[in-house]
Amino acid sequence: MPPTGIRPDPPISMPARHPLAILPTPLVEASGLSAALGGPRILIKRDDMTGFGFGGNKVRKLEFYLAEALAHGADVLVTGAGPQSNHIRATAAAARVAGMEAVVVMHGSMPTELQGNFLLDRLLGVQTHFTDSPDRSLVDRKIEEVAEELRRAGRRPYAIPRGGASALGALGYVECVREMEAQLAAMNLRPEWIVLATGSCGTQAGLLAGAKIYNMPYRVLGITVSRSADECRERIGRIAREASELIGHPIELSPKDILVREEYIGTGYGLVTPDCAEAIRLVARTEGLFLDPTYTGKGMSGLIGEIRSGRIGKDELVVFLHTGGEPGLFAHPEIGSSHD
Ligand SMILES: *Cc1c(COP(=O)(O)O)cnc(C)c1O
């Protein structure tokens, strides 16, 4: 394989983006964390710093959705998830800069406290429908229903799937691969692993498609925080293939390309595990950097677990993708209540 960074780009046709993010995000050495773990060398790709609406991974996806919504003449974005959703907060912020409104569907019922992302949603003036059910998959159908109601009322809604997980959104992470390729080439580094927290699977799908298209040397390992590994593998494979077709560069994926570990979920989505809390404290105390309780804390607990089990070697180079989510910390004060 030739060294990264010197091949001509393969011919791809990227759809339009509406710029939101401040790019490139930094790729920084996490030497304190690495030392605390006794190796390996770890870099952190700071996508918590995408620089719009409190940052995070949803911003790269939204650049594509927003461009398409504007091209369709939309006047309202419709999406859904939970009250502490980073995706809803970022989508609402994107709607506002484009002069649109945001109408969203949340699973469960109205939270009793205005905190974290839910507080930010209020500041953005989001209109919220609750499903009054903990079943998160009900949100998907309700997004369609709300969009249909708006259409009947003469509005021009543009619906974005839960988590921004579709081929179009995943292109944000195909682009991120190219961005990292330039950063890694400038640092003369060839990582063995990219590790990230996986939820609705679009981010991992985009990274995987990008790694294939640009012939990158690393494996992409997702630490799932909600769905089973089997469900993730199916979704990642499908979204990665669709994303590659969308840009006219279809890829072949084999099952061994799609790496997901499910043993770090704990008792469920959004429920903080002791290992997650430990990972959040460790990264705060070694790097002065904050992870979130739902995604990146579990993602980091996964990276630490894979290192301790020897599945990630001490002589390998790891990039951890910090996908953001810090506002969620403020909805989980219990993380700060252990006095070690
Ligand atoms: C949504 C989210 C993820 C997961 O990304 P998916 O593309 O949904 O898999 C990870 N981290 C944070 C902070 C998120 O908000």
Side-chain angles (χ1 to χ4, degrees), residues 95-135:
R96 290 310 193 182
V97 296
M100 300 182 208
E101 287 176 64
V103 178
V104 308
V105 179
M106 289 184 183
H107 58 76
S109 51
M110 177 76 137
T112 49
E113 277 189 34
L114 267 185
Q115 198 38 287
N117 283 303
F118 191 63
L119 168 62
L120 302 177
D121 295 342
R122 292 290 286 263
L123 298 180
L124 291 160
V126 172
Q127 191 191 317
T128 310
H129 298 263
F130 289 94
T131 61
D132 292 320
S133 160
D135 181 356

Side-chain angles (χ1 to χ4, degrees), residues 132-204:
D132 292 320
S133 160
D135 181 356
R136 290 184 295 123
S137 63
L138 286 182
V139 168
D140 302 329
R141 204 173 57 224
K142 186 83 177 155
I143 290 172
E144 293 309 319
E145 286 171 20
V146 168
E148 189 49 43
E149 276 165 31
L150 286 162
R151 220 169 276 125
R152 277 201 300 270
R155 303 290 302 272
R156 297 182 61 86
Y158 179 87
I160 300 176
R162 201 152 50 100
S166 79
L168 186 61
L171 296 179
Y173 277 88
V174 173
E175 288 282 75
C176 180
V177 166
R178 213 160 62 120
E179 180 181 305
M180 268 196 290
E181 178 186 37
Q183 291 175 312
L184 291 165
M187 297 164 90
N188 202 19
L189 294 175
R190 291 171 64 88
E192 274 82 14
W193 297 95
I194 306 283
V195 178
L196 75 154
T198 282
S200 61
C201 300
T203 303
Q204 189 171 351

Side-chain angles (χ1 to χ4, degrees), residues 76-309:
V76 52
L77 298 183
V78 184
T79 195
Q84 283 305 330
S85 166
N86 302 302
H87 166 66
I88 286 180
R89 174 251 307 160
T91 300
R96 290 310 193 182
V97 296
M100 300 182 208
E101 287 176 64
V103 178
V104 308
V105 179
M106 289 184 183
H107 58 76
S109 51
M110 177 76 137
T112 49
E113 277 189 34
L114 267 185
Q115 198 38 287
N117 283 303
F118 191 63
L119 168 62
L120 302 177
D121 295 342
R122 292 290 286 263
L123 298 180
L124 291 160
V126 172
Q127 191 191 317
T128 310
H129 298 263
F130 289 94
T131 61
D132 292 320
S133 160
D135 181 356
R136 290 184 295 123
S137 63
L138 286 182
V139 168
D140 302 329
R141 204 173 57 224
K142 186 83 177 155
I143 290 172
E144 293 309 319
E145 286 171 20
V146 168
E148 189 49 43
E149 276 165 31
L150 286 162
R151 220 169 276 125
R152 277 201 300 270
R155 303 290 302 272
R156 297 182 61 86
Y158 179 87
I160 300 176
R162 201 152 50 100
S166 79
L168 186 61
L171 296 179
Y173 277 88
V174 173
E175 288 282 75
C176 180
V177 166
R178 213 160 62 120
E179 180 181 305
M180 268 196 290
E181 178 186 37
Q183 291 175 312
L184 291 165
M187 297 164 90
N188 202 19
L189 294 175
R190 291 171 64 88
E192 274 82 14
W193 297 95
I194 306 283
V195 178
L196 75 154
T198 282
S200 61
C201 300
T203 303
Q204 189 171 351
L207 288 174
L208 189 57
K212 279 274 172 193
I213 291 168
Y214 296 111
N215 201 23
M216 300 308 291
Y218 45 74
R219 283 168 283 179
V220 180
L221 173 64
I223 308 297
T224 173
V225 302
S226 54
R227 300 164 201 268
S228 71
D230 281 343
E231 186 183 352
C232 289
R233 281 189 278 265
E234 185 279 317
R235 288 176 62 89
I236 292 163
R238 176 169 47 79
I239 298 170
R241 275 184 215 98
E242 288 170 3
S244 70
E245 284 159 16
L246 191 58
I247 55 178
H249 198 282
I251 53 168
E252 293 288 329
L253 286 175
S254 77
K256 71 171 178 16
D257 291 322
I258 310 178
L259 303 176
V260 180
R261 299 214 71 100
E262 65 187 359
E263 59 266 59
Y264 304 98
I265 298 175
T267 39
Y269 174 78
L271 302 174
V272 182
T273 59
D275 287 351
C276 169
E278 181 203 318
I280 291 172
R281 280 194 291 268
L282 180 65
V283 173
R285 292 172 193 192
T286 54
E287 297 296 329
L289 198 70
F290 296 107
L291 303 176
D292 82 288
T294 302
Y295 294 99
T296 52
K298 281 188 183 167
M300 182 58 75
S301 79
L303 171 56
I304 294 170
E306 296 301 287
I307 291 168
R308 288 185 177 152
S309 71

